[in-house]
Amino acid sequence: MVGSAIVRRLLAQGVPEDDIVTHTRAELDLTNQAAVRAFFANAQIDEVYLAAAKVGGIHANNTQPAEFIYENLVIEANVIDAAFRSGVKRLLFLGSSCIYPKLAEQPMREDALLTGTLEPTNEPYAIAKIAGIKLCESYNRQYGESHGIDYRSAMPTNLYGPGDNYDLESSHVIPALLRKFHEAKVADAAEVVVWGTGTPRREFLYVDDMAEACIHLMQLPKSEYDKHTEPMLSHINVGFGDDVSIGELAGIIAGVVGFDGDIVCDTNRPDGTPRKLLDSSRLRSTGWQPRIGLEQGLRLTYADFRLSKAT
Ligand code: GDP
């Protein structure tokens, strides 16, 4: 989802299609070290956007912890090291707001990293993403001057938009609810079930805004990036700036889809972390801001969902 949005944005900025190299999982298995090294050795890459990851919602993270930690650690280690070995000077690693402690002060600043215990439902994923930041920092610290490398990290809040995963067990909350409300409307059902208590608060960013932020961060002059980071605190938050409760989100999605039945909470499902709102003032002070509000983004995403069902 994020990789496609970055490609759309680069093309819109006038980057020639031939200059952008993408590979599907079937073409290049990023968990295969030899394949990743061979790819970088032959491809003459200048810049890497590392958006590839094993991702999923609260249930997927909770039930496949081994896959979430293993695949993410291996993908990051393979790509970052192979990029370095082949002479790539610029790389942007994409992490997640779940790197911060479960009870971090809200909104969460970059320096909350490693100050407390993580949310248990996604701790393995978070540990892998923290390792990714530390990989970038460690390569910068050891090889930054000698090899002229500059590897950066962006920590997005919860993302949504075209190209998301709509599988009800493994998806995040927005694609799950868009699908549930759509199917309930089509079937004229009386109610839709929302997991948890509906009280957790989440911040949501439309994926095209995230893509713009990624390119902005990649293109920021080194002196400007360094002004807002430290060698061992080098990541930058990418958030929308506002959050909603899951109950409020369900109400907005019901409106977007046109469902007017009841919304019921299933408290046997986990809530996860109580609140996840990023402090994105560092990024804002470099000149980036989001363009797409939640309701507008949900309408665009719902249109994409309906299109994907029609084709
Ligand atoms: P999280 O931000 O890592 O917790 O990931 P999710 O996007 O999966 O879940 C966010 C919140 O939405 C949690 O409190 C979930 O319990 C809640 N939620 C409500 N209904 C659903 C649903 O149908 N699917 C998912 N994935 N989450 C839901």
Side-chain angles (χ1 to χ4, degrees), residues 288-311:
W288 174 88
Q289 59 177 33
R291 296 169 195 268
I292 313 253
L294 181 58
E295 188 162 340
Q296 184 191 0
L298 288 170
R299 289 191 190 285
L300 292 167
T301 309
Y302 184 47
D304 175 72
F305 169 75
R306 293 179 63 163
L307 204 65
S308 70
K309 281 183 77 77
T311 52

PDB file of all heavy atoms in Angstrom, residues 288-311:
ATOM      1  N   TRP A 288       6.310  20.085   5.973  1.00  0.00           N
ATOM      2  CA  TRP A 288       5.301  19.128   5.488  1.00  0.00           C
ATOM      3  C   TRP A 288       4.029  19.245   6.304  1.00  0.00           C
ATOM      4  O   TRP A 288       4.089  19.497   7.511  1.00  0.00           O
ATOM      5  CB  TRP A 288       5.836  17.695   5.615  1.00  0.00           C
ATOM      6  CG  TRP A 288       4.804  16.648   5.280  1.00  0.00           C
ATOM      7  CD1 TRP A 288       4.528  16.124   4.054  1.00  0.00           C
ATOM      8  CD2 TRP A 288       3.904  15.995   6.202  1.00  0.00           C
ATOM      9  NE1 TRP A 288       3.526  15.192   4.148  1.00  0.00           N
ATOM     10  CE2 TRP A 288       3.117  15.100   5.453  1.00  0.00           C
ATOM     11  CE3 TRP A 288       3.669  16.090   7.582  1.00  0.00           C
ATOM     12  CZ2 TRP A 288       2.136  14.295   6.024  1.00  0.00           C
ATOM     13  CZ3 TRP A 288       2.691  15.296   8.159  1.00  0.00           C
ATOM     14  CH2 TRP A 288       1.936  14.405   7.393  1.00  0.00           C
ATOM     15  N   GLN A 289       2.883  19.089   5.655  1.00  0.00           N
ATOM     16  CA  GLN A 289       1.649  18.905   6.418  1.00  0.00           C
ATOM     17  C   GLN A 289       0.685  18.035   5.620  1.00  0.00           C
ATOM     18  O   GLN A 289       0.751  17.993   4.388  1.00  0.00           O
ATOM     19  CB  GLN A 289       1.011  20.239   6.762  1.00  0.00           C
ATOM     20  CG  GLN A 289       0.671  21.092   5.566  1.00  0.00           C
ATOM     21  CD  GLN A 289      -0.029  22.371   6.010  1.00  0.00           C
ATOM     22  OE1 GLN A 289       0.254  22.896   7.081  1.00  0.00           O
ATOM     23  NE2 GLN A 289      -0.947  22.860   5.188  1.00  0.00           N
ATOM     24  N   PRO A 290      -0.207  17.304   6.316  1.00  0.00           N
ATOM     25  CA  PRO A 290      -1.135  16.438   5.578  1.00  0.00           C
ATOM     26  C   PRO A 290      -2.174  17.268   4.839  1.00  0.00           C
ATOM     27  O   PRO A 290      -2.488  18.385   5.237  1.00  0.00           O
ATOM     28  CB  PRO A 290      -1.793  15.605   6.681  1.00  0.00           C
ATOM     29  CG  PRO A 290      -1.641  16.408   7.930  1.00  0.00           C
ATOM     30  CD  PRO A 290      -0.398  17.222   7.775  1.00  0.00           C
ATOM     31  N   ARG A 291      -2.708  16.683   3.744  1.00  0.00           N
ATOM     32  CA  ARG A 291      -3.711  17.414   2.946  1.00  0.00           C
ATOM     33  C   ARG A 291      -5.095  16.803   3.079  1.00  0.00           C
ATOM     34  O   ARG A 291      -6.094  17.457   2.838  1.00  0.00           O
ATOM     35  CB  ARG A 291      -3.345  17.326   1.451  1.00  0.00           C
ATOM     36  CG  ARG A 291      -2.046  17.988   1.093  1.00  0.00           C
ATOM     37  CD  ARG A 291      -1.689  17.579  -0.356  1.00  0.00           C
ATOM     38  NE  ARG A 291      -0.312  17.882  -0.652  1.00  0.00           N
ATOM     39  CZ  ARG A 291       0.081  19.037  -1.200  1.00  0.00           C
ATOM     40  NH1 ARG A 291      -0.793  19.967  -1.495  1.00  0.00           N
ATOM     41  NH2 ARG A 291       1.350  19.245  -1.463  1.00  0.00           N
ATOM     42  N   ILE A 292      -5.163  15.483   3.383  1.00  0.00           N
ATOM     43  CA  ILE A 292      -6.439  14.766   3.288  1.00  0.00           C
ATOM     44  C   ILE A 292      -7.003  14.491   4.689  1.00  0.00           C
ATOM     45  O   ILE A 292      -6.394  13.754   5.472  1.00  0.00           O
ATOM     46  CB  ILE A 292      -6.232  13.424   2.548  1.00  0.00           C
ATOM     47  CG1 ILE A 292      -5.402  13.651   1.284  1.00  0.00           C
ATOM     48  CG2 ILE A 292      -7.565  12.723   2.295  1.00  0.00           C
ATOM     49  CD1 ILE A 292      -6.056  13.594   0.008  1.00  0.00           C
ATOM     50  N   GLY A 293      -8.164  15.032   4.986  1.00  0.00           N
ATOM     51  CA  GLY A 293      -8.828  14.797   6.269  1.00  0.00           C
ATOM     52  C   GLY A 293      -9.414  13.392   6.336  1.00  0.00           C
ATOM     53  O   GLY A 293      -9.530  12.706   5.310  1.00  0.00           O
ATOM     54  N   LEU A 294      -9.824  12.991   7.547  1.00  0.00           N
ATOM     55  CA  LEU A 294     -10.256  11.600   7.745  1.00  0.00           C
ATOM     56  C   LEU A 294     -11.481  11.251   6.901  1.00  0.00           C
ATOM     57  O   LEU A 294     -11.488  10.225   6.211  1.00  0.00           O
ATOM     58  CB  LEU A 294     -10.529  11.354   9.239  1.00  0.00           C
ATOM     59  CG  LEU A 294     -10.957   9.928   9.604  1.00  0.00           C
ATOM     60  CD1 LEU A 294      -9.917   8.890   9.175  1.00  0.00           C
ATOM     61  CD2 LEU A 294     -11.205   9.817  11.113  1.00  0.00           C
ATOM     62  N   GLU A 295     -12.502  12.094   6.932  1.00  0.00           N
ATOM     63  CA  GLU A 295     -13.711  11.716   6.191  1.00  0.00           C
ATOM     64  C   GLU A 295     -13.453  11.681   4.679  1.00  0.00           C
ATOM     65  O   GLU A 295     -13.886  10.754   3.987  1.00  0.00           O
ATOM     66  CB  GLU A 295     -14.857  12.675   6.522  1.00  0.00           C
ATOM     67  CG  GLU A 295     -16.138  12.176   5.906  1.00  0.00           C
ATOM     68  CD  GLU A 295     -17.392  12.791   6.499  1.00  0.00           C
ATOM     69  OE1 GLU A 295     -17.346  13.319   7.622  1.00  0.00           O
ATOM     70  OE2 GLU A 295     -18.418  12.729   5.801  1.00  0.00           O
ATOM     71  N   GLN A 296     -12.688  12.654   4.190  1.00  0.00           N
ATOM     72  CA  GLN A 296     -12.350  12.673   2.748  1.00  0.00           C
ATOM     73  C   GLN A 296     -11.553  11.423   2.383  1.00  0.00           C
ATOM     74  O   GLN A 296     -11.805  10.760   1.375  1.00  0.00           O
ATOM     75  CB  GLN A 296     -11.549  13.938   2.436  1.00  0.00           C
ATOM     76  CG  GLN A 296     -11.235  14.109   0.958  1.00  0.00           C
ATOM     77  CD  GLN A 296     -10.216  15.221   0.715  1.00  0.00           C
ATOM     78  OE1 GLN A 296      -9.734  15.870   1.652  1.00  0.00           O
ATOM     79  NE2 GLN A 296      -9.875  15.419  -0.540  1.00  0.00           N
ATOM     80  N   GLY A 297     -10.563  11.087   3.243  1.00  0.00           N
ATOM     81  CA  GLY A 297      -9.733   9.911   2.985  1.00  0.00           C
ATOM     82  C   GLY A 297     -10.553   8.628   3.006  1.00  0.00           C
ATOM     83  O   GLY A 297     -10.336   7.713   2.206  1.00  0.00           O
ATOM     84  N   LEU A 298     -11.520   8.579   3.934  1.00  0.00           N
ATOM     85  CA  LEU A 298     -12.367   7.384   4.011  1.00  0.00           C
ATOM     86  C   LEU A 298     -13.241   7.263   2.766  1.00  0.00           C
ATOM     87  O   LEU A 298     -13.464   6.156   2.255  1.00  0.00           O
ATOM     88  CB  LEU A 298     -13.241   7.430   5.272  1.00  0.00           C
ATOM     89  CG  LEU A 298     -12.485   7.205   6.588  1.00  0.00           C
ATOM     90  CD1 LEU A 298     -13.381   7.502   7.783  1.00  0.00           C
ATOM     91  CD2 LEU A 298     -11.937   5.778   6.675  1.00  0.00           C
ATOM     92  N   ARG A 299     -13.708   8.392   2.239  1.00  0.00           N
ATOM     93  CA  ARG A 299     -14.520   8.339   1.004  1.00  0.00           C
ATOM     94  C   ARG A 299     -13.674   7.829  -0.168  1.00  0.00           C
ATOM     95  O   ARG A 299     -14.119   6.995  -0.962  1.00  0.00           O
ATOM     96  CB  ARG A 299     -15.097   9.723   0.668  1.00  0.00           C
ATOM     97  CG  ARG A 299     -16.188  10.135   1.620  1.00  0.00           C
ATOM     98  CD  ARG A 299     -16.967  11.381   1.177  1.00  0.00           C
ATOM     99  NE  ARG A 299     -17.819  11.800   2.276  1.00  0.00           N
ATOM    100  CZ  ARG A 299     -18.946  11.188   2.631  1.00  0.00           C
ATOM    101  NH1 ARG A 299     -19.382  10.146   1.926  1.00  0.00           N
ATOM    102  NH2 ARG A 299     -19.660  11.596   3.672  1.00  0.00           N
ATOM    103  N   LEU A 300     -12.437   8.325  -0.260  1.00  0.00           N
ATOM    104  CA  LEU A 300     -11.542   7.873  -1.342  1.00  0.00           C
ATOM    105  C   LEU A 300     -11.245   6.379  -1.196  1.00  0.00           C
ATOM    106  O   LEU A 300     -11.216   5.633  -2.176  1.00  0.00           O
ATOM    107  CB  LEU A 300     -10.226   8.669  -1.295  1.00  0.00           C
ATOM    108  CG  LEU A 300     -10.319  10.161  -1.638  1.00  0.00           C
ATOM    109  CD1 LEU A 300      -9.037  10.894  -1.257  1.00  0.00           C
ATOM    110  CD2 LEU A 300     -10.603  10.324  -3.137  1.00  0.00           C
ATOM    111  N   THR A 301     -11.028   5.954   0.045  1.00  0.00           N
ATOM    112  CA  THR A 301     -10.693   4.542   0.285  1.00  0.00           C
ATOM    113  C   THR A 301     -11.895   3.648  -0.009  1.00  0.00           C
ATOM    114  O   THR A 301     -11.761   2.574  -0.597  1.00  0.00           O
ATOM    115  CB  THR A 301     -10.227   4.356   1.747  1.00  0.00           C
ATOM    116  OG1 THR A 301      -9.210   5.318   2.021  1.00  0.00           O
ATOM    117  CG2 THR A 301      -9.662   2.965   1.974  1.00  0.00           C
ATOM    118  N   TYR A 302     -13.084   4.111   0.380  1.00  0.00           N
ATOM    119  CA  TYR A 302     -14.295   3.314   0.123  1.00  0.00           C
ATOM    120  C   TYR A 302     -14.516   3.184  -1.387  1.00  0.00           C
ATOM    121  O   TYR A 302     -14.880   2.109  -1.882  1.00  0.00           O
ATOM    122  CB  TYR A 302     -15.495   3.967   0.813  1.00  0.00           C
ATOM    123  CG  TYR A 302     -16.771   3.168   0.677  1.00  0.00           C
ATOM    124  CD1 TYR A 302     -16.786   1.786   0.909  1.00  0.00           C
ATOM    125  CD2 TYR A 302     -17.978   3.787   0.320  1.00  0.00           C
ATOM    126  CE1 TYR A 302     -17.951   1.045   0.785  1.00  0.00           C
ATOM    127  CE2 TYR A 302     -19.152   3.053   0.195  1.00  0.00           C
ATOM    128  CZ  TYR A 302     -19.134   1.687   0.424  1.00  0.00           C
ATOM    129  OH  TYR A 302     -20.283   0.950   0.299  1.00  0.00           O
ATOM    130  N   ALA A 303     -14.252   4.251  -2.121  1.00  0.00           N
ATOM    131  CA  ALA A 303     -14.399   4.187  -3.589  1.00  0.00           C
ATOM    132  C   ALA A 303     -13.443   3.141  -4.154  1.00  0.00           C
ATOM    133  O   ALA A 303     -13.806   2.344  -5.024  1.00  0.00           O
ATOM    134  CB  ALA A 303     -14.126   5.555  -4.201  1.00  0.00           C
ATOM    135  N   ASP A 304     -12.219   3.111  -3.628  1.00  0.00           N
ATOM    136  CA  ASP A 304     -11.233   2.126  -4.094  1.00  0.00           C
ATOM    137  C   ASP A 304     -11.671   0.708  -3.726  1.00  0.00           C
ATOM    138  O   ASP A 304     -11.537  -0.226  -4.516  1.00  0.00           O
ATOM    139  CB  ASP A 304      -9.871   2.439  -3.458  1.00  0.00           C
ATOM    140  CG  ASP A 304      -8.840   1.388  -3.802  1.00  0.00           C
ATOM    141  OD1 ASP A 304      -8.403   1.355  -4.969  1.00  0.00           O
ATOM    142  OD2 ASP A 304      -8.492   0.573  -2.926  1.00  0.00           O
ATOM    143  N   PHE A 305     -12.226   0.546  -2.530  1.00  0.00           N
ATOM    144  CA  PHE A 305     -12.710  -0.774  -2.086  1.00  0.00           C
ATOM    145  C   PHE A 305     -13.806  -1.274  -3.022  1.00  0.00           C
ATOM    146  O   PHE A 305     -13.800  -2.424  -3.456  1.00  0.00           O
ATOM    147  CB  PHE A 305     -13.238  -0.659  -0.646  1.00  0.00           C
ATOM    148  CG  PHE A 305     -13.988  -1.864  -0.168  1.00  0.00           C
ATOM    149  CD1 PHE A 305     -13.314  -3.024   0.185  1.00  0.00           C
ATOM    150  CD2 PHE A 305     -15.372  -1.838  -0.062  1.00  0.00           C
ATOM    151  CE1 PHE A 305     -14.011  -4.147   0.628  1.00  0.00           C
ATOM    152  CE2 PHE A 305     -16.066  -2.956   0.379  1.00  0.00           C
ATOM    153  CZ  PHE A 305     -15.384  -4.106   0.717  1.00  0.00           C
ATOM    154  N   ARG A 306     -14.738  -0.382  -3.375  1.00  0.00           N
ATOM    155  CA  ARG A 306     -15.843  -0.803  -4.244  1.00  0.00           C
ATOM    156  C   ARG A 306     -15.344  -1.142  -5.640  1.00  0.00           C
ATOM    157  O   ARG A 306     -15.803  -2.091  -6.263  1.00  0.00           O
ATOM    158  CB  ARG A 306     -16.895   0.303  -4.305  1.00  0.00           C
ATOM    159  CG  ARG A 306     -17.552   0.456  -2.942  1.00  0.00           C
ATOM    160  CD  ARG A 306     -18.566   1.535  -2.936  1.00  0.00           C
ATOM    161  NE  ARG A 306     -19.653   1.236  -3.855  1.00  0.00           N
ATOM    162  CZ  ARG A 306     -20.829   1.849  -3.825  1.00  0.00           C
ATOM    163  NH1 ARG A 306     -21.056   2.768  -2.938  1.00  0.00           N
ATOM    164  NH2 ARG A 306     -21.755   1.542  -4.675  1.00  0.00           N
ATOM    165  N   LEU A 307     -14.351  -0.370  -6.099  1.00  0.00           N
ATOM    166  CA  LEU A 307     -13.758  -0.633  -7.410  1.00  0.00           C
ATOM    167  C   LEU A 307     -13.067  -2.004  -7.407  1.00  0.00           C
ATOM    168  O   LEU A 307     -13.196  -2.787  -8.339  1.00  0.00           O
ATOM    169  CB  LEU A 307     -12.724   0.464  -7.697  1.00  0.00           C
ATOM    170  CG  LEU A 307     -12.375   0.748  -9.132  1.00  0.00           C
ATOM    171  CD1 LEU A 307     -13.613   1.292  -9.859  1.00  0.00           C
ATOM    172  CD2 LEU A 307     -11.250   1.785  -9.206  1.00  0.00           C
ATOM    173  N   SER A 308     -12.340  -2.299  -6.315  1.00  0.00           N
ATOM    174  CA  SER A 308     -11.604  -3.565  -6.262  1.00  0.00           C
ATOM    175  C   SER A 308     -12.573  -4.751  -6.209  1.00  0.00           C
ATOM    176  O   SER A 308     -12.274  -5.839  -6.670  1.00  0.00           O
ATOM    177  CB  SER A 308     -10.657  -3.604  -5.061  1.00  0.00           C
ATOM    178  OG  SER A 308     -11.378  -3.686  -3.864  1.00  0.00           O
ATOM    179  N   LYS A 309     -13.755  -4.539  -5.657  1.00  0.00           N
ATOM    180  CA  LYS A 309     -14.755  -5.621  -5.628  1.00  0.00           C
ATOM    181  C   LYS A 309     -15.420  -5.800  -6.979  1.00  0.00           C
ATOM    182  O   LYS A 309     -15.830  -6.889  -7.348  1.00  0.00           O
ATOM    183  CB  LYS A 309     -15.860  -5.282  -4.594  1.00  0.00           C
ATOM    184  CG  LYS A 309     -15.442  -5.551  -3.176  1.00  0.00           C
ATOM    185  CD  LYS A 309     -16.567  -5.278  -2.222  1.00  0.00           C
ATOM    186  CE  LYS A 309     -17.599  -6.370  -2.211  1.00  0.00           C
ATOM    187  NZ  LYS A 309     -17.204  -7.553  -1.480  1.00  0.00           N
ATOM    188  N   ALA A 310     -15.482  -4.669  -7.739  1.00  0.00           N
ATOM    189  CA  ALA A 310     -16.162  -4.722  -9.028  1.00  0.00           C
ATOM    190  C   ALA A 310     -15.307  -5.356 -10.104  1.00  0.00           C
ATOM    191  O   ALA A 310     -15.807  -5.854 -11.093  1.00  0.00           O
ATOM    192  CB  ALA A 310     -16.566  -3.308  -9.446  1.00  0.00           C
ATOM    193  N   THR A 311     -13.957  -5.317  -9.891  1.00  0.00           N
ATOM    194  CA  THR A 311     -13.069  -5.825 -10.960  1.00  0.00           C
ATOM    195  C   THR A 311     -12.603  -7.239 -10.660  1.00  0.00           C
ATOM    196  O   THR A 311     -12.748  -7.742  -9.583  1.00  0.00           O
ATOM    197  CB  THR A 311     -11.835  -4.918 -11.113  1.00  0.00           C
ATOM    198  OG1 THR A 311     -11.227  -4.743  -9.832  1.00  0.00           O
ATOM    199  CG2 THR A 311     -12.218  -3.586 -11.702  1.00  0.00           C
TER     200      THR A 311
END
